[in-house]
Amino acid sequence: MTERPIRIGLQLQPQHMDYATIRRTAAEADELGVDILFNWDHFYPLYGEPDGLHFECWTMLAAWAESTSRAEIGALVSCNSYRNPELLADMARTVDHISGGRLILGIGSGWFERDYTEYGYEFGTAGGRLDDLAVSLPRIESRWAKLNPKPTRDIPVLIGGGGEKKTLRLVARHATIWHSFSDAETLERKLGVLRGHCETIGRDPAEIEVSVASSPDTREKMYELGARLFTIGVGGPEPDLTELREALTWRDKRNG
């Protein structure tokens, strides 16, 4: 298999800024050459003022599909609990078409309890939410095959999380991209677990792009371990793209 190139993502966290700032920053990142533009799927800020400015994930992705032209777009990650899987599949297919085939379906089992309680979803347990995700992923894939028109491409599926018994098994079976929240030492162990799950089902683990948070201090080590997608997170009120510019320079030098 050809060596997978480094890609750089920007998670533009939709908190503590107005939408004009979000739109302007997304457009700037797109123009700079970011590979993927992510938001996240929450209803309240994750840090800072807990009731600060915040916007919804999927309506924003649809807007980005029209207002950007180069970068792939997606959530890091969409919460499986908040939408019926058939509906989510249709939403993803629609944004895929609006964007001209640039949508990545990032998905995870959910964890932020306030989202659940304030919006009327059952929080349950971590294991139960992962079991729900295991049921939803085949339903999403099945719905994509039934939609008219079909997606413009095989929509890449990014699964976030590192649970070794359940999450990484789902990654092996369903994911195009795995996003790990681990440090380097933990990533190395979890990659071994993921390879084991892939071997069990007869899948080449090289088919799965390894995604991590980007940090100048750990980037080279993560690269050596096999990470190829590096994402920088920025939020409001004044998102700073200095680190993104540096990471794009590193990408271009590394990729030759």
Side-chain angles (χ1 to χ4, degrees):
M1 181 179 289
T2 304
E3 173 69 15
R4 188 187 293 276
I6 292 168
R7 300 202 294 165
I8 300 296
L10 178 73
Q11 186 188 51
L12 184 52
Q13 301 155 354
Q15 60 177 5
H16 305 309
M17 54 186 146
D18 59 26
Y19 188 71
T21 302
I22 293 172
R23 181 177 61 242
R24 182 173 63 251
T25 307
E28 183 178 358
D30 191 41
E31 185 65 26
L32 286 170
V34 74
D35 294 293
I36 308 174
L37 186 62
F38 293 111
N39 60 6
W40 67 27
D41 191 15
H42 295 290
F43 304 127
Y44 296 93
L46 294 187
Y47 52 85
E49 168 54 47
D51 292 311
L53 298 176
H54 199 279
F55 291 98
E56 193 275 331
C57 170
W58 276 91
T59 43
M60 183 178 295
L61 289 177
W64 286 358
E66 288 282 11
S67 66
T68 65
S69 60
R70 300 179 182 184
E72 290 186 292
I73 57 175
L76 187 64
V77 290
S78 187
C79 177
N80 177 64
S81 305
Y82 301 159
R83 300 162 194 88
N84 168 282
E86 284 76 17
L87 172 61
L88 182 59
D90 203 339
M91 291 166 62
R93 180 282 308 253
T94 300
V95 176
D96 166 64
H97 275 265
I98 295 170
S99 67
R102 294 184 288 122
L103 189 278
I104 291 171
L105 177 61
I107 193 165
S109 59
W111 64 273
F112 189 41
E113 188 170 5
R114 187 184 183 193
D115 284 346
Y116 286 78
T117 56
E118 294 268 9
Y119 277 64
Y121 298 105
E122 181 181 351
F123 188 57
T125 66
R129 294 191 299 275
L130 277 167
D131 291 341
D132 289 343
L133 178 60
V135 171
S136 293
L137 286 165
R139 288 171 60 180
I140 290 168
E141 294 164 354
S142 175
R143 180 56 49 179
W144 279 337
K146 297 174 183 177
L147 289 170
N148 184 17
K150 290 180 169 36
T152 67
R153 62 174 180 167
D154 291 334
I155 294 177
V157 173
L158 179 155
I159 295 177
E164 297 179 9
K165 293 181 179 179
K166 291 185 177 182
T167 303
L168 292 181
R169 184 177 289 113
L170 295 176
V171 170
R173 187 166 296 279
H174 298 282
T176 314
I177 307 167
W178 170 49
H179 184 79
S180 169
F181 299 92
S182 305
D183 58 26
E185 183 179 352
T186 307
L187 177 66
E188 187 170 17
R189 186 185 76 249
K190 291 185 183 294
L191 282 169
V193 174
L194 178 58
R195 285 191 288 270
H197 288 311
C198 287
E199 184 177 357
T200 298
I201 64 171
R203 185 179 185 192
D204 182 355
E207 296 175 3
I208 302 169
E209 185 176 22
V210 179
S211 168
V212 296
S214 178
S215 166
D217 296 335
T218 62
R219 202 180 285 149
E220 288 293 339
K221 178 61 176 177
M222 294 293 203
Y223 177 85
E224 290 172 9
L225 291 172
R228 291 298 181 269
L229 173 55
F230 298 82
T231 296
I232 295 131
V234 298
E238 297 180 1
D240 183 354
L241 299 186
T242 301
E243 187 178 342
L244 174 65
R245 290 184 176 89
E246 185 274 329
L248 292 172
T249 299
W250 175 77
R251 175 200 66 185
D252 295 343
K253 182 178 179 179
R254 266 291 195 171
N255 285 344

